[in-house]
Amino acid sequence: MSKRFYCRVIESVESRCINEEDQQNLISIFESTVSTMSTTLAREARFELVDFIRAWQKGLVAYSLHLTKQPDTDRWTGVFEQSECKMTIVARLEKE
């Protein structure tokens, strides 16, 4: 089965000056981006959320996302940043 369909298990979320609703929306963007990236050989990627339709819909276009895959694991770390606001998410992929 493709890793695109693996379950994403959030291990930790650390946030500074981001409200709960925006946190949930950013987590959703993180999960879908990890699902897409997990099917590639990329180990690191940087995105500007201005390129994401979901970010436009939720008013989150000012954020950037830096994704990093930990070596030899299915664990990903994502960091969303916008000026002084920051959120770090660590998740792993598991077969259903």
Side-chain angles (χ1 to χ4, degrees):
M1 172 176 21
S2 171
K3 288 189 179 185
R4 181 166 181 75
F5 301 107
Y6 279 26
C7 291
R8 293 155 316 272
V9 178
I10 303 293
E11 294 181 345
S12 70
V13 176
E14 294 178 18
S15 176
R16 183 176 65 231
C17 84
I18 300 175
N19 67 47
E20 187 66 33
E21 181 182 352
D22 286 349
Q23 285 181 34
Q24 293 305 315
N25 290 322
L26 291 171
I27 288 170
S28 177
I29 291 169
F30 169 79
E31 289 178 328
S32 64
T33 306
V34 165
S35 291
T36 301
M37 292 300 299
S38 67
T39 63
T40 71
L41 295 176
R43 294 185 182 143
E44 189 171 348
R46 184 172 294 277
F47 301 96
E48 297 299 324
L49 294 195
V50 71
D51 299 326
F52 288 65
I53 187 69
R54 188 178 298 162
W56 278 99
Q57 293 168 340
K58 303 297 181 177
L60 300 171
V61 295
Y63 284 92
S64 64
L65 169 59
H66 182 221
L67 270 181
T68 307
K69 182 178 187 268
Q70 295 180 6
D72 302 322
T73 67
D74 280 329
R75 184 169 279 120
W76 291 80
T77 301
V79 179
F80 288 95
E81 292 183 289
Q82 173 196 4
S83 60
E84 71 281 344
C85 298
K86 182 177 180 178
M87 185 166 88
T88 303
I89 306 168
V90 177
R92 69 180 187 280
L93 298 176
E94 290 185 350
K95 287 185 181 180
E96 291 186 6

